[in-house]
Amino acid sequence: MPALLRMSDDPLMLNVTDVDDAASTALLLTTMHRLHKQLDDFTTQLYIAYDFGDESGLAPAILIEEHAAGPELRTYHCFGFFAEGDPDVSELRYSAGVTITSTGCIVEAMVDVALEQPLGEFGADVHTLYDERIDRLSLPDALSRLEEQVTALCTMDDVPNRLGFDTR
């Protein structure tokens, strides 16, 4: 977490003073918590609405990772399910996050599906259904854009249907 508290080290990145670093960190964490809950509510409704099969599950998480570019904070919601007759787990994943770098923030939102067997309109493989990445944003702009991305993810309620899952 110390990397988040030193965002003002690069004046071109966020243009904040040390006093504002705590406020920037609080804004980041508060916004990510709210967006995680928004995406969690959406994916929970999908899980209730569609029959993903026996032994399926929905695992929401907030991931914090250190990358070469800088720290990343991501909300991640993964549906795990089995295709008929397949012992391997396939996944449908919704995620959105922000990475803080020395040149600004990167926001990225994604919906992808990793299928072990063909399902619905998709063959066995990893398929990216939505991916938007924007680089070199200030933290306030990044969080604003991330909110828009999560809203876009929450309109993708047809994905389980495209995978061939029946509604309950």
Side-chain angles (χ1 to χ4, degrees), residues 80-137:
F81 53 89
F82 295 92
E84 190 173 324
D86 186 5
D88 297 319
V89 176
S90 292
E91 295 180 338
L92 168 59
R93 302 175 289 232
Y94 287 77
S95 67
V98 60
T99 303
I100 299 172
T101 75
S102 63
T103 59
C105 295
I106 301 166
V107 292
E108 182 177 31
M110 178 181 286
V111 176
D112 67 343
V113 60
L115 298 175
E116 296 297 323
Q117 297 289 327
L119 192 61
E121 64 184 64
F122 302 100
D125 203 354
V126 176
H127 304 275
T128 302
L129 309 178
Y130 177 86
D131 186 12
E132 181 181 49
R133 177 186 164 116
I134 304 168
D135 296 58
R136 297 180 178 244
L137 297 171

Side-chain angles (χ1 to χ4, degrees), residues 70-89:
E72 176 187 43
L73 185 58
R74 177 168 294 277
T75 179
Y76 181 80
H77 301 261
C78 179
F79 295 84
F81 53 89
F82 295 92
E84 190 173 324
D86 186 5
D88 297 319
V89 176

Side-chain angles (χ1 to χ4, degrees), residues 44-52 166-168:
T44 298
Q45 289 302 315
L46 286 182
Y47 192 68
I48 292 168
Y50 286 90
D51 182 4
F52 285 90
D166 294 325
T167 55
R168 294 182 194 258

Side-chain angles (χ1 to χ4, degrees), residues 5-97:
L5 297 176
R6 299 186 51 79
M7 291 186 279
S8 66
D9 286 349
D10 184 347
L12 298 176
M13 187 173 100
L14 296 176
N15 196 23
V16 296
T17 65
D18 288 337
V19 173
D20 292 331
D21 280 346
S24 294
T25 301
L27 177 64
L28 171 65
L29 296 175
T30 302
T31 301
M32 286 302 294
H33 179 264
R34 183 173 42 79
L35 295 177
H36 178 71
K37 180 157 178 25
Q38 180 181 346
L39 196 54
D40 188 47
D41 290 345
F42 170 73
T43 55
T44 298
Q45 289 302 315
L46 286 182
Y47 192 68
I48 292 168
Y50 286 90
D51 182 4
F52 285 90
D54 294 340
E55 300 181 39
S56 65
L58 172 60
I62 294 180
L63 305 175
I64 301 172
E65 297 180 350
E66 182 65 39
H67 298 283
E72 176 187 43
L73 185 58
R74 177 168 294 277
T75 179
Y76 181 80
H77 301 261
C78 179
F79 295 84
F81 53 89
F82 295 92
E84 190 173 324
D86 186 5
D88 297 319
V89 176
S90 292
E91 295 180 338
L92 168 59
R93 302 175 289 232
Y94 287 77
S95 67

